[in-house]
Amino acid sequence: MRIGILGAGNMADALGTQWSRAGHEVMVSGRDEARSAATAARMTAAGGSPVVHGTWPEAAAFGEVVMAAVAADGLEEVLKAAGPALRGKPLVDVTNRLPDFDFTRPLARTAADLTGAHVVKAFNLGHVDVWRMTPPVFDGRPLAVPLCGDDPDALSRVRSLVTDLGCTPVDGGGLDRAVLLEATAAFVIGLWFAGVDAQAILTPMEAAGV
């Protein structure tokens, strides 16, 4: 696939590099052309398909799938700048709000309303270093990546991108449930920063009688 990435920071670098290695064509974009060029060069040097850089509208037009990998407080501005090329396309939203955000409306729903894209919420539960692992496997178990979205084709495309990372895609329900993923991220990230093993709060399936 051709993947346009709105952003040229760590998440763009980590996920885009893995997809480039899997044979996808990738374009990154950011506010600063020099940084975007440097990110694209670094990704190319990592050994995958050549990665190019462009503007936000160019990345939106380039991608069969587009990923929004920018800070949450700049998401609306970037999506508006990306323009009408996003309409009708799969748009992967990896953003997270700060813990004090009002979680009654998911960022992913805002992105869908702004762009007319088929938004899929994904990849927001993992730290950037997790996405640099090849593959992300813990105690012999591949990392599971929940996806929330409404469009079957968009979900199918994002599932394949999850699989390309060596991870397992998990059906998280419709886009309105993306708010649960965003709230979960805020909760567990707070635990991690407090030094708590967040994974330990979940009861093993056998103990839960499943």
Side-chain angles (χ1 to χ4, degrees):
M1 282 184 279
R2 294 190 310 276
I3 304 171
I5 301 180
L6 305 177
N10 289 331
M11 283 291 281
D13 186 348
L15 288 167
T17 296
Q18 298 284 33
W19 291 327
S20 171
R21 287 172 174 162
H24 300 290
E25 299 176 56
V26 177
M27 175 184 284
V28 296
S29 58
R31 297 179 188 277
D32 183 271
E33 183 180 359
R35 183 183 184 189
S36 299
T39 298
R42 184 168 58 250
M43 294 164 71
T44 299
S49 302
V51 176
V52 297
H53 70 281
T55 65
W56 286 321
E58 288 170 342
F62 174 86
E64 298 169 88
V65 174
V66 180
M67 181 174 72
V70 297
D73 57 4
L75 179 63
E76 292 189 26
E77 175 194 354
V78 171
L79 292 178
K80 289 176 181 177
L86 292 174
R87 181 167 296 278
K89 286 188 177 181
L91 175 63
V92 186
D93 172 24
V94 306
T95 55
N96 279 319
R97 288 285 195 185
L98 296 174
D100 58 355
F101 176 65
D102 178 3
F103 287 100
T104 57
R105 180 175 177 77
L107 283 164
R109 176 57 68 188
T110 298
D113 291 346
L114 277 173
T115 62
H118 299 303
V119 177
V120 177
K121 189 77 182 188
F123 304 111
N124 70 308
L125 296 183
H127 186 273
V128 63
D129 288 341
V130 170
W131 307 122
R132 298 189 191 281
M133 299 173 64
T134 51
V137 174
F138 302 89
D139 295 327
R141 295 182 301 170
L143 181 68
V145 180
L147 311 178
C148 289
D150 295 331
D151 183 78
D153 179 65
L155 285 165
S156 176
R157 287 173 179 266
V158 180
R159 285 191 198 101
S160 73
L161 294 178
V162 171
T163 302
D164 285 342
L165 299 176
C167 300
T168 303
V170 176
D171 180 10
L175 191 62
D176 286 340
R177 290 178 61 84
V179 69
L180 301 179
L181 275 183
E182 293 170 4
T184 298
F187 184 74
V188 299
I189 289 170
L191 292 178
W192 288 329
F193 275 106
V196 177
D197 178 4
Q199 190 178 36
I201 68 175
L202 299 175
T203 306
M205 288 179 64
E206 57 272 17
V210 176

